[in-house]
Amino acid sequence: MRDIDLENLLLKKDKKAIAKAITMAENGDEKVYEIIKNLYNKAGKAYVIGITGPPGVGKSTLTNEIAKFLLKDNYSVGILAVDPTSFFSGGAILGDRVRMSDIALNKNVYMRSMGTRGKLGGLAKTTRAAIHILDIVGMDYIIVETSGVGQSEIDIVKASDTNVMVLSPGMGDDIQAIKSGIMEIGDIFVVNKSDREGADKTAAEINFMLDLNDKSDWRPPVLEVSALYGKGCSTLLSKIKEHRYYLEKTGGLKERRLKNLRWEILEIVIDNFMKVLNEKISQENITELINAEYAGLANPYMIAEDIYKNLKEDFKW
Ligand code: GDP
């Protein structure tokens, strides 16, 4: 059944409706996907900025500053603070929200924290649903702030158009440790807290590694910023816009969105398949199969192979 009321409220950019829809996604309520499907023709206009980096480097502070600039230019901004390490929304994140509250009440801002709520895995899908919702309601920019630099963050990053990787002075060793992941996903690098000692050195290290990895026409800039004192934030926004322009001009945006779309589709199909497989390969079915076909001797490889073969026949692959 269509939830026409919620759909209409969403189209009016009603903050409570946005909150409700995102909560539905977080709770795995399938109805929200019907809503997104129905309203999808409104999507595609928002520009998605990813802000990623280890906890404590100043992502929230930076996001706040960027959002202020965007608001000044009369853009609307949706902010999703995603914390894959938190088991519940709130907690550590709540402190950041309080700091950011000076813009939270602005009618052109919607701000939301998202955690895993104890369900590992589904965060990328939920985040994407939240991005679609904010896009559908007409946000010009969506900033997705992700804490950490592991695989789940990289999955989330696959939903954004421009990725800003944030580090802080003295992170040389950390950069070494995480470089394979971050060097590929950063379109712009920020050394925040440049009011502190060591920013130049960290920036030089990042530049060195970028030169080693340089493959594309877009050489990610490395900016020294001090979000807390508002230094370098307008330059960062200019670079984000420059990257957007570059992507639009070269066809890179279309290409990136197609790539992201493939990931998203893959994720949805895998998710649906998991449900089907969980039913097909239920404990009951497996026990029955083992007793009937394998005389109680359970060879997992053989059984899996047989199941896979049967599935292939079922689906006519
Ligand atoms: P996040 O965990 O990456 O979102 O980091 P936060 O934005 O919550 O910032 C963590 C701490 O660093 C806070 O106490 C901020 O006030 C502080 N901070 C943020 N930006 C700067 C900066 O440019 N310079 C300094 N010295 N501190 C900063």
Side-chain angles (χ1 to χ4, degrees):
M1 201 186 75
R2 285 183 73 162
D3 194 335
I4 305 278
D5 288 344
L6 188 55
E7 287 182 20
N8 285 335
L9 284 169
L10 281 173
L11 293 178
K12 285 183 188 145
K13 253 191 186 159
D14 180 273
K15 286 195 187 186
K16 275 193 194 140
I18 301 173
K20 185 171 176 197
I22 296 179
T23 302
M24 285 166 81
E26 278 190 315
N27 292 337
D29 185 339
E30 292 292 324
K31 274 186 286 191
V32 75
Y33 297 107
E34 282 305 310
I35 293 173
I36 297 174
K37 255 196 290 182
N38 291 332
L39 302 180
Y40 206 77
N41 59 347
K42 309 270 182 223
K45 296 185 197 84
Y47 196 79
V48 185
I49 303 167
I51 309 258
T52 313
V57 289
K59 295 180 298 297
S60 302
T61 316
L62 203 58
T63 299
N64 200 29
E65 291 305 308
I66 296 171
K68 276 186 194 164
F69 278 112
L70 291 169
L71 289 168
K72 226 186 272 169
D73 287 342
N74 279 326
Y75 290 118
S76 52
V77 189
I79 300 172
L80 298 170
V82 187
D83 188 354
T85 58
S86 82
F87 281 92
F88 295 94
S89 297
I93 290 179
L94 206 60
D96 298 340
R97 296 312 97 203
V98 173
R99 270 203 298 283
M100 286 172 71
S101 63
D102 55 331
I103 58 163
L105 294 175
N106 188 307
K107 71 172 176 31
N108 287 325
V109 172
Y110 178 82
M111 198 181 274
R112 168 79 171 229
S113 298
M114 302 178 77
T116 52
R117 289 189 188 246
K119 262 188 304 179
L120 283 169
L123 197 55
K125 188 181 173 192
T126 313
T127 307
R128 270 187 239 272
I131 291 172
H132 292 320
I133 291 162
L134 293 173
D135 188 3
I136 284 165
V137 305
M139 293 295 176
D140 298 308
Y141 283 89
I142 299 169
I143 306 179
V144 184
E145 193 193 311
T146 320
S147 215
V149 279
Q151 187 55 47
S152 52
E153 296 79 46
I154 292 174
D155 285 347
I156 291 164
V157 158
K158 283 179 192 148
S160 48
D161 298 318
T162 293
N163 274 306
V164 180
M165 193 74 216
V166 190
L167 297 159
S168 60
M171 296 194 80
D173 290 346
D174 293 328
I175 296 166
Q176 280 294 344
I178 56 186
K179 70 174 178 189
S180 56
I182 67 164
M183 287 298 148
E184 279 142 42
I185 61 173
D187 300 304
I188 296 168
F189 285 80
V190 164
V191 181
N192 189 39
K193 305 194 185 185
S194 63
D195 49 285
R196 291 194 179 159
E197 201 128 312
D200 289 348
K201 188 168 171 273
T202 305
E205 280 167 354
I206 299 171
N207 271 316
F208 176 73
M209 276 186 265
L210 284 172
D211 285 337
L212 292 179
N213 277 275
D214 200 12
K215 285 180 225 121
S216 98
D217 294 340
W218 174 265
R219 163 60 157 82
V222 182
L223 310 174
E224 291 186 35
V225 173
S226 180
L228 191 61
Y229 303 103
K231 210 185 111 228
C233 296
S234 65
T235 312
L236 171 58
L237 187 58
S238 304
K239 286 289 172 195
I240 292 171
K241 288 184 174 168
E242 207 178 292
H243 183 244
R244 177 181 188 167
Y245 179 71
Y246 161 81
L247 286 180
E248 284 170 350
K249 201 180 59 169
T250 57
L253 187 60
K254 202 173 164 202
E255 199 181 307
R256 185 174 289 218
R257 287 186 172 177
L258 273 174
K259 242 187 200 171
N260 289 345
L261 193 67
R262 177 183 171 265
W263 277 112
E264 181 170 14
I265 293 168
L266 201 61
E267 235 169 52
I268 297 168
V269 173
I270 290 172
D271 214 49
N272 291 340
F273 252 112
M274 277 300 280
K275 283 181 199 139
V276 173
L277 290 178
N278 250 319
E279 274 167 31
K280 266 198 180 285
I281 313 176
S282 68
Q283 189 62 55
E284 205 181 357
N285 290 350
I286 282 292
T287 311
E288 218 170 84
L289 185 76
I290 290 168
N291 289 336
E293 306 274 335
Y294 302 90
L297 182 66
N299 179 333
Y301 299 100
M302 210 185 243
I303 299 170
E305 212 171 282
D306 285 350
I307 291 176
Y308 186 64
K309 262 187 217 151
N310 283 334
L311 277 174
K312 276 180 95 162
E313 272 167 34
D314 280 0
F315 289 106
K316 299 192 172 59
W317 283 331

